[in-house]
């Protein structure tokens, strides 16, 4: 009898523990809770094809939209999660913040949305369009493909003042680690995702301070001298600050590991990129990703899925915008 009574008490305690664990899980959903592969398979089965075709058409007209859309998705996810808030126009929206002023490809997202609204009105979110378009942009620049979990909903808030956590071109590794860690991303994922700089450009204004001696300090000694001379020609001290330079010299339109090789040769354009080689916390990761047996493409795909599930709105939260540039 005593054994049965003890067993009942044990089962009761165990039940309480299970309920407690499930209660905590419900209160603190993990990244990407609610997204899944094939979310639109019945409600809008051609959604991914429509987005892919829109991105391909935009890329055919201007290949520079590929890095623009990839960067746009990155910047969207780092500010209040991947909710498409970067797409909203208006005074003091995220889109007006300095780090976002030179993003490209908004018209491609708008085009995809117009076609999706004609095919499946009120079904596919702008946040999902952006996540799918980022993947398609990598594929068009000869990078890998990956299944994109969908089911995000669109946010209703977009403020330029919320963009302070975006990684900056002069950030140290420690600062970058802090910003990525705050969103649940590891140091390895940091290096892998920044490897997206294998495509795209930067304006002279954001790195010219590294090229010349000034009252604030000498030229950056970590830059290869030959490469510094090349950049000084492209970005003279009193020249046009809007001139743009490939972030991955010699391979700026192809998604590959050349970016990491350039870092090892002192040919990182941005200070925040070059420190990935000079800092002992990240240099071994760069060495692995630039090796002949590099797993960069596979790791980039996994890291993108992780990043694209940061702070997503699902279920009844948020909305499905009718146009991506404005809340309903």
């Amino acid at each position: 009898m005593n054994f049965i009574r003890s067993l009942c008490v044990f089962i009761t305690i165990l039940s309480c523990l299970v309920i407690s664990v499930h209660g905590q899980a419900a209160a603190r959903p993990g990244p990407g809770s609610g997204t899944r592969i094939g979310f639109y398979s019945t409600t809008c089965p051609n959604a991914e094809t429509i987005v892919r075709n829109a991105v391909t058409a935009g890329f055919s007209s201007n290949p520079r939209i590929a890095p623009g859309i990839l960067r746009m998705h990155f910047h969207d996810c780092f500010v209040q999660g991947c909710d498409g808030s970067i797409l909203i126009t208006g005074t003091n929206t995220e889109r007006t913040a300095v780090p976002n002023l030179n993003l490209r490809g908004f018209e491609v997202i708008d085009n995809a949305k117009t076609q999706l609204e004609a095919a499946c009105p009120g079904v596919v979110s702008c946040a999902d369009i952006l996540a799918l378009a980022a993947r398609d942009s990598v594929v068009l620049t000869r990078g890998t493909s990956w299944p994109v979990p969908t089911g995000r909903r669109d946010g209703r808030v977009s403020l330029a003042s919320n963009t302070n956590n975006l990684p900056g071109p002069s950030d140290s590794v420690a600062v970058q680690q802090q910003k990525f860690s705050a969103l649940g991303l590891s140091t390895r994922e940091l290096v892998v995702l920044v490897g997206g700089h294998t495509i795209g450009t930067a304006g002279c204004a954001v790195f010219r301070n590294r090229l010349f001696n000034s009252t604030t300090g000498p030229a950056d000694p970590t830059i290869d001298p030959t490469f510094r001379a090349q950049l000084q020609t492209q970005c003279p001290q009193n020249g046009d600050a809007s001139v743009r330079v490939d972030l991955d010299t010699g391979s700026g339109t192809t998604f590959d590991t050349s970016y990491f090789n350039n870092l090892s040769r002192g040919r990182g354009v941005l200070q925040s990129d070059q420190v990935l080689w000079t800092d002992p916390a990240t240099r071994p990761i760069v060495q692995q990703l630039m090796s002949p047996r590099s797993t960069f493409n596979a790791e980039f795909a996994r890291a993108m899925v992780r990043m694209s599930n940061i702070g997503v709105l699902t279920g009844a939260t948020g909305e499905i915008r009718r146009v991506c540039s404005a809340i309903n």
Side-chain angles (χ1 to χ4, degrees):
M1 189 69 179
N2 289 335
F3 169 77
I4 293 174
R5 186 179 294 109
S6 298
L7 182 60
C8 289
V9 171
F10 173 76
I11 291 172
T12 301
I13 293 172
L14 182 62
S15 298
C16 291
L17 286 173
V18 170
I19 291 169
S20 175
V21 168
H22 281 287
Q24 288 176 15
R28 297 176 64 87
S33 177
T35 62
R36 58 182 170 82
I37 304 298
F39 183 85
Y40 299 112
S41 58
T42 56
T43 55
C44 193
N46 292 323
E48 293 201 25
T49 300
I50 291 171
V51 173
R52 185 181 306 114
N53 289 342
V55 177
T56 301
F59 182 81
S60 297
S61 299
N62 178 11
R64 291 296 184 183
I65 63 102
I69 291 173
L70 179 59
R71 211 86 72 238
M72 191 189 304
H73 181 46
F74 185 99
H75 285 202
D76 183 44
C77 292
F78 263 66
V79 181
Q80 299 188 125
C82 311
D83 64 352
S85 54
I86 197 170
L87 302 169
I88 297 173
T89 57
T91 305
N92 296 324
T93 59
E94 290 173 36
R95 200 159 157 175
T96 67
V98 172
N100 296 329
L101 292 178
N102 289 308
L103 292 178
R104 309 179 188 192
F106 290 101
E107 70 282 0
V108 173
I109 307 301
D110 291 339
N111 180 30
K113 181 60 172 175
T114 298
Q115 295 182 52
L116 285 165
E117 284 299 300
C120 320
V123 174
V124 182
S125 70
C126 299
D128 275 344
I129 294 172
L130 184 50
L132 292 166
R135 184 269 312 274
D136 297 337
S137 295
V138 171
V139 173
L140 286 168
T141 51
R142 303 182 195 174
T144 191
S145 183
W146 63 90
V148 176
T150 45
R152 299 165 190 79
R153 288 170 66 84
D154 297 321
R156 297 189 180 98
V157 176
S158 181
L159 297 171
S161 57
N162 288 335
T163 63
N164 294 332
N165 194 51
L166 286 173
S170 299
D171 284 352
S172 65
V173 166
V175 170
Q176 293 182 70
Q177 285 176 316
Q178 182 181 20
K179 291 179 178 180
F180 277 72
S181 177
L183 298 174
L185 297 169
S186 69
T187 297
R188 188 172 188 90
E189 288 170 323
L190 182 168
V191 178
V192 168
L193 288 169
V194 175
H197 285 173
T198 181
I199 55 174
T201 61
C204 292
V206 301
F207 63 87
R208 191 160 50 191
N209 63 304
R210 302 181 67 212
L211 308 180
F212 302 94
N213 294 324
S214 69
T215 54
T216 59
D220 190 337
T222 65
I223 305 178
D224 171 70
T226 303
F227 185 54
R228 182 189 297 118
Q230 176 184 326
L231 291 177
Q232 287 173 339
T233 300
Q234 294 173 284
C235 299
Q237 196 158 16
N238 297 309
D240 185 351
S242 66
V243 170
R244 302 192 70 80
V245 173
D246 283 342
L247 289 168
D248 184 6
T249 301
S251 184
T253 58
T254 302
F255 200 93
D256 55 23
T257 60
S258 171
Y259 164 82
F260 297 110
N261 284 279
N262 274 328
L263 297 187
S264 73
R265 299 165 59 201
R267 290 178 169 245
V269 173
L270 303 181
Q271 182 177 340
S272 57
D273 287 351
Q274 190 57 53
V275 293
L276 298 179
W277 178 257
T278 58
D279 194 300
T282 48
R283 182 170 181 162
I285 303 172
V286 174
Q287 290 174 317
Q288 291 168 12
L289 295 173
M290 62 182 272
S291 72
R293 295 187 179 183
S294 174
T295 56
F296 172 55
N297 272 287
E299 290 193 57
F300 187 82
R302 288 195 297 270
M304 283 294 288
V305 170
R306 288 255 300 143
M307 185 194 76
S308 69
N309 278 326
I310 293 171
V312 296
L313 303 175
T314 59
T317 57
E319 64 182 14
I320 305 296
R321 288 187 216 132
R322 288 185 287 272
V323 294
C324 291
S325 59
I327 60 174
N328 293 340

